[in-house]
Amino acid sequence: MIFRLSKIRAVIFLFFPNIIINYYYKCKYHELESFKIGFSWLDVDKFEVRGNVKIGHLNFIKQKSLFLQNSTIGFGNRILGNFDTKLRGDLGNFNVIRNANKNPTSLDTGEDSKITSNHYLDLCGNITLGKGALLAGRGTQIWTHSYGYFNSERFRIDADVMIGENSYIGSRATLQSPLSIGNRVTLA
């Protein structure tokens, strides 16, 4: 189910009880299987929901497109920027996901993947998490841009980060692009 969410509706939903919000979505979009949203701000150009989806309280989501499939977004997350998100796993609490540039990028997570709490993801390039991948613990940073120098001139380098299937990234890891981590890899 694809629908557009206006800013006015997002503000109204911020103040209405969860039951009214969910009833509104189920009446308007009959194809929603199981969708629950808490007190959160959503300003998304394109929003698609499939399967069982839950968005918790106090999330601030402002981005180009959001695709959720059998996913849970915890509470207190900030997701900001000109990028697409395809979330097929879970996003924990108090994560920051941003795109600081104007170029469209994407965050794509595989089925059963999980980003736990208090992580920072920089989306100047694309980030892909494979099926069952886990950003565990807290405080991990993924950077998709860096700077280089040539003839005394500084320039920015945007590149992608790919984490393979069933890989485990432990607490406080810092990942710098360009980076590709294979399947079933543990970084502790």
Side-chain angles (χ1 to χ4, degrees):
M1 172 58 38
I2 300 172
F3 52 96
R4 295 194 181 277
L5 202 62
S6 72
K7 290 180 184 178
I8 293 171
R9 230 179 302 149
V11 170
I12 290 170
F13 289 170
L14 185 64
F15 297 106
F16 274 100
N18 197 6
I19 295 168
I20 295 171
I21 296 168
N22 292 311
Y23 180 75
Y24 168 80
Y25 280 118
K26 287 182 181 181
C27 287
K28 186 163 180 159
Y29 308 103
H30 302 287
E31 296 175 26
L32 290 178
E33 295 172 35
S34 178
F35 177 67
K36 294 182 181 179
I37 184 171
F39 299 107
S40 292
W41 175 275
L42 294 166
D43 183 3
V44 180
D45 294 335
K46 182 179 174 186
F47 187 30
E48 187 173 347
V49 174
R50 292 192 186 152
N52 298 320
V53 172
K54 180 181 176 187
I55 299 175
H57 298 298
L58 303 176
N59 291 293
F60 184 84
I61 301 171
K62 181 177 174 53
Q63 64 177 107
K64 196 167 76 171
S65 74
L66 179 61
F67 170 84
L68 302 172
Q69 180 178 347
N70 297 321
S71 303
T72 299
I73 296 178
F75 59 90
N77 293 291
R78 289 183 295 150
I79 304 172
L80 310 164
N82 182 30
F83 60 92
D84 301 319
T85 297
K86 292 180 182 175
L87 189 63
R88 295 178 198 87
D90 296 329
L91 180 65
N93 307 317
F94 303 111
N95 293 293
V96 176
I97 303 171
R98 319 194 43 170
N99 173 322
N101 65 9
K102 305 286 183 195
N103 299 328
T105 57
S106 68
L107 169 64
D108 192 353
T109 66
E111 291 179 25
D112 300 322
S113 61
K114 174 121 176 133
I115 300 171
T116 59
S117 298
N118 290 38
H119 300 295
Y120 181 86
L121 281 66
D122 162 64
L123 277 164
C124 291
N126 301 312
I127 297 177
T128 304
L129 272 73
K131 181 179 178 180
L134 176 61
L135 244 59
R138 49 190 297 145
T140 294
Q141 299 180 27
I142 299 178
W143 293 93
T144 58
H145 79 278
S146 62
Y147 290 91
Y149 291 91
F150 182 73
N151 291 336
S152 300
E153 295 292 322
R154 185 172 91 153
F155 58 94
R156 192 165 100 175
I157 304 166
D158 295 340
D160 300 339
V161 171
M162 290 185 270
I163 299 171
E165 293 182 2
N166 299 310
S167 291
Y168 175 93
I169 310 298
S171 290
R172 305 221 190 289
T174 301
L175 307 178
Q176 178 67 54
S177 66
L179 178 65
S180 181
I181 297 173
N183 297 334
R184 295 174 299 283
V185 172
T186 300
L187 294 176

